[in-house]
Amino acid sequence: MEPFTVVTGVAAPMMIPNINTDAITPMAAGRSTSVDLGKMMFNNWRYNLDGSEIPEFILNRPPFRQSQILVAGANFGCGSSRERAVWALLRFGIRCVIAPSFADIFRENAYQNGLLPVVIGADDCAALGTALAHAPKDGCEPQITVDLERCVVRLLDGRELSFDVPAERRAALLQGLDEIDVILGMESAIANFQKMDREQHPWIYLDRA
Amino acid sequence: MMSTNTAPQTLVDKIWNRHAIRELSDGSTLIHIDRHFLHDGTSRQAFDGLRRIKRPVRDLNLTFAVVDHILSTLPGRTGESHPPGIERIHALRDNCRQFNVELYDVDSAHQGIAHVIAPELGITLPGCTLVCGDSHTATNGGLGALAWGIGTTEVMHVIAAQALLVRKQKQLRITFSGHIGEGVSSKDMILYFLSRHGVTAGTGCTVEYAGPAIRALPIEARMTICNMSIEFGSRCGIVAPDDVTLQYVANRPFAPKGVMWDRAAADWRSLASDDGATFDREIEFDCNQIGPQVTWGNSPQEAVAIDEALPEPSSVADHDRRQALERAYSYMNLTPGRTMEGVPIDIAFIGSCTNSRLSDLEAAAKVVKGRKVAKGVTALAVPGSMAVKAAAEAKGLDKIFLEAGFEWRNAGCSMCVGSNGDLVPPGKRSISTTNRNFEHRQGPHSRTHLAGPAMVAAAAVSGCITDVRKLLSQN
Ligand code: SF4
């Protein structure tokens, strides 16, 4: 996966709680691999039924069309386990989602693909969302920095908020490492486990040939 | 007798410990996966990944595959009946052929929704670990399996290594007490729970469902409860195996037989949480007052009893929550203060991994029998598996549904998520035995009300959402 170190970019506020993976990537919007996931992301919020854009939707408005960061409400990514939701965000250009909390499967999927989920407090998150929403009117770029090397978010006013990431997740993201390599490195332990477990729980090991 | 130096363990501890291959210094554990289910919805890129790292399927004996999400459910269907699904179904077939994975394809008697057929075939066993690239995998927890949904990258990990790196979650026990009344089902129990405790009550937790009201439930009803765990944030929900479980598992095709059965059964009886085992959190939950539930909004926690007034957003203090309620009222075209009784519906859907097993169809048929689907209503009964379909037909349920004006379909996910073309049209209102009432879930601009099978049947024949108990009392 692509490493994540420091990302500076436009951040779009989507302060609705419980944004689910059906909203991010609706099933009915096509499952073919040829569908451009970035284009269909938030399909039902972004487009009318005739395919025209809904101008009010945040990601249809400049400068948020170029967002690299989403700032969202609590429990982001709840619902279906579909990893397409993460792929769609990445394909659109989103590298990081900042929210007060994430659904468990989404967070795992995000880590596996180099999309950084950043948890900050609900009040800080709400304040950041408001500041971003007002930034264009105030004539300033709604741009922030997410620094994984130092584990801080640099806000519009230059203040920094720190966040936590599990050490091994951080290391993997910084270097762009895939977890499968770590797992396959333990193959002999898996084989030994199965040998022993087969004695104790033989009914688990089906013989279907 | 437990030796004195063994601390009391929970059910989840016991299953976890026997599957732990290695603990890593960062706090994660390499966990052995006993059963892996692949399906047409989320496996394709996993196989692509497998090719990239040049690996085979590590344990073909522990790997199963089925086509369920994108497959047409129409009578006489083939894998090609729903054109937008052809590419994915063919990809699954090609991948299974190339990697030698046994696939329950459209013409297999075993075909059905993964979480319905895994228990039904005895693939799911108490005490086993089971994963699938689908968030409702916890359904299998109804049998005492530690089962959870994963993303596609992790699907690839399991195919290649038969193991996953996992962090042990916190443990939550929900103890259900009391009795549920006539016309009330386990779906109502879990919807009511959601309405009281909200959609994040279980985030970061594995849930053990316990207590007399859980013990009193048959296995299929326990599966409905475990199925909805993810709707309050828990990837994994489980019920300790007991005699009811063992009776259910016995003699199923992949279940152990003979001497091996005796050995397994003795082992499974030892899995219950020990007295004095500690949980990170406990919730006590009384089922005595639960009436038939139905959701009104776009989050599964937005459930009310059929005779309960819909909440006033203005009475909600939390700003985000209030906005979410207002948004839901607008999307669902409903007003606060009214009850759900009498809300007209266009579509009634009985199906999905939540409520498509034989007992669900029986509960619905009991209401439908001798009645007609109301004018203007489209009603679908979609068995969760071809085996459920056959069992229902042996009991004559198909005739009851067909005579009433229901469509009687082949097995699959169908209108739960609409990816096979079974869609709720824009602006139409459906009452559905599924698990998610999200905006656009059953199709763009669809409006979904979640309920149990009897309540959906009652709405189908009444043309509007109504209290099933009234109909049952006229039977
Ligand atoms: S029935 Fe619905 S919830 Fe269940 S696996 Fe299929 S799409 Fe998912």
Side-chain angles (χ1 to χ4, degrees), chain A residues 15-23 25-35 37 42-49 54 57 72-84 87 100-109 111-113 122 126 166-169 178-194 196-209, chain B residues 18-22 24 26 28 30 32 34-35 40-42 44-45 53 55 58-64 69-70 84 87-88 102 104 125-128 132-135 149-154 156-157 160-165 167 169 199-200 202-205 230-231 233-235 254 256 260 263-264 267-268 298-299 301 320-321 324 327 417-419 423 426 436 438-441 443-445:
Chain A
M15 305 316 291
I16 310 168
N18 307 316
I19 293 179
N20 62 66
T21 52
D22 272 279
T25 44
M27 281 273 207
R31 310 219 43 161
S32 156
T33 35
S34 54
V35 170
L37 285 174
F42 290 115
N43 189 73
N44 291 307
W45 293 356
R46 221 159 127 204
Y47 308 108
N48 291 304
L49 278 173
I54 298 172
F57 183 63
N75 197 28
F76 186 87
C78 62
S80 157
S81 63
R82 66 192 70 161
E83 204 159 313
R84 283 160 66 83
W87 299 335
S101 60
F102 289 87
D104 295 332
I105 305 181
F106 179 88
R107 195 189 46 232
E108 295 301 315
N109 287 342
Y111 281 136
Q112 301 285 2
N113 289 277
E168 81 288 0
R169 295 296 194 193
D178 290 325
E179 194 176 89
I180 187 66
D181 299 330
V182 180
I183 298 176
L184 290 175
M186 294 186 277
E187 168 54 36
S188 62
I190 300 170
N192 285 338
F193 171 90
Q194 286 190 335
M196 182 200 73
D197 191 48
R198 194 183 276 273
E199 308 261 301
Q200 284 168 7
H201 310 110
W203 56 86
I204 295 296
Y205 297 88
L206 301 169
D207 187 8
R208 292 154 68 197
Chain B
R18 64 163 63 171
H19 290 89
I21 300 170
R22 181 182 285 178
L24 273 61
D26 64 34
S28 61
L30 188 67
H32 188 260
D34 297 338
R35 300 283 183 268
D40 51 0
T42 57
R44 183 174 186 172
Q45 283 86 349
I53 60 168
R55 289 276 173 160
R58 189 184 185 286
D59 287 276
L60 286 166
N61 278 321
L62 310 182
T63 308
F64 298 81
H69 277 71
I70 310 170
E87 184 190 333
R88 285 208 152 230
E102 186 179 357
Y104 301 137
L125 298 175
C128 80
C132 171
D134 188 279
S135 63
I150 55 177
T152 295
T153 302
E154 290 195 316
M156 192 264 267
H157 296 176
Q162 206 59 36
L164 273 179
L165 267 180
R167 283 171 173 274
Q169 296 192 300
V199 287
T200 55
T203 304
C205 297
I230 188 70
E231 306 320 329
S234 290
R235 291 174 88 158
F254 289 98
M260 189 80 98
R263 218 179 131 184
D267 176 70
W268 296 339
N298 297 118
S299 168
Q301 69 191 341
D320 288 348
R321 189 75 203 111
R327 184 184 170 111
V417 71
S419 58
L423 291 167
R436 288 185 177 140
F438 299 159
E439 292 178 9
H440 313 286
R441 165 87 176 177
H445 303 275

